[in-house]
Amino acid sequence: MPILTEDLKSGAGHYIVSEASGYRSRDVGTIVSGAGVLKPGSVLGKITAGGAVTVTKTDVGGGKGALTLAAPAYGAGVKAGIYRVVIVEPAANAGSFVVEDPDGIIIGNGNVAVAFDGVVKFTLADGATDFAAGDIALVTVAIADPAAMGKFTLYDPAAADGSAVPAAILYEGCDATSADVKRTLTARDTEVHAAVLTWKAGTTDNQKAAALAALAAAHGIIAR
């Protein structure tokens, strides 16, 4: 008589101990092409940098000082497009500014001659001529392959594309070897059975513990 074996990690949502009522614990996300064959219960990271990032700048001009980019000049979550650095409160040899992202959303406030450390990173220096309200410097971000941004792949603590931050758990398996795949995700407010979760090969116990702590703190996904 043949022996039948069953993969206990093949069922959708097998790792769930409890979740919120209705579908509040779940979302739909895109698993990025190249992620491979993933089982339900795979711990996922979200890609926030889709490729090589190039940052350039344009000064205010008119002898009003220069914007110096940091190294690196961007952080996790940076978008492709033009960031505007707008002077809002000018002062002699000083002043303050706001930074608007490519969608026109204000993402932070800063001061002249003080490093701005956001998704773009720079220092706006004072020049021979004082700034005036409304003066603008530009930070232009180009991403070689932005198509992957916002998609999910296996959590990888060594990744530089944003997936080093755990973001969700795959509810149902998929094959994303050669194409993007939409799947249901456990995104928030869920108790999960830690022992049956699936991790990227090589993830250490310490890295798993840190990832579970991060899921609990940021998403309310609690490991039991």
Side-chain angles (χ1 to χ4, degrees), residues 20-95:
S21 61
Y23 295 99
R24 189 165 64 84
S25 292
R26 305 181 196 176
D27 268 336
V28 174
T30 300
I31 311 303
V32 72
S33 177
V37 178
L38 304 183
K39 294 182 177 181
S42 294
V43 179
L44 305 176
K46 190 173 186 179
I47 297 170
T48 55
V53 180
T54 302
V55 184
T56 56
K57 55 97 175 188
T58 304
D59 296 323
V60 173
K64 294 183 178 181
L67 187 151
T68 301
L69 297 172
Y74 64 94
V78 72
K79 301 176 183 178
I82 299 175
Y83 289 77
R84 292 169 22 113
V85 182
V86 184
I87 297 292
V88 291
E89 292 186 8
N93 301 314

Side-chain angles (χ1 to χ4, degrees), residues 60-65 87 90-94 126-133 135:
V60 173
K64 294 183 178 181
I87 297 292
N93 301 314
D126 176 59
T129 302
D130 290 333
F131 292 114
D135 281 343

Side-chain angles (χ1 to χ4, degrees), residues 64-129:
K64 294 183 178 181
L67 187 151
T68 301
L69 297 172
Y74 64 94
V78 72
K79 301 176 183 178
I82 299 175
Y83 289 77
R84 292 169 22 113
V85 182
V86 184
I87 297 292
V88 291
E89 292 186 8
N93 301 314
S96 63
F97 56 81
V98 297
V99 180
E100 299 176 355
D101 76 2
D103 297 319
I105 299 169
I106 294 176
I107 59 168
N109 301 275
N111 294 299
V112 173
V114 177
F116 182 82
D117 186 19
V119 292
V120 288
K121 303 175 185 293
F122 61 87
T123 301
L124 180 62
D126 176 59
T129 302

Side-chain angles (χ1 to χ4, degrees), residues 47 49-52 142-149:
I47 297 170
I143 301 176
D145 179 17
M149 292 183 65

Side-chain angles (χ1 to χ4, degrees), residues 187-206:
R188 65 188 68 83
D189 299 338
T190 303
E191 292 179 290
V192 301
H193 186 190
V196 299
L197 296 176
T198 297
W199 303 86
K200 183 179 179 68
T203 305
T204 68
D205 288 344
N206 285 342

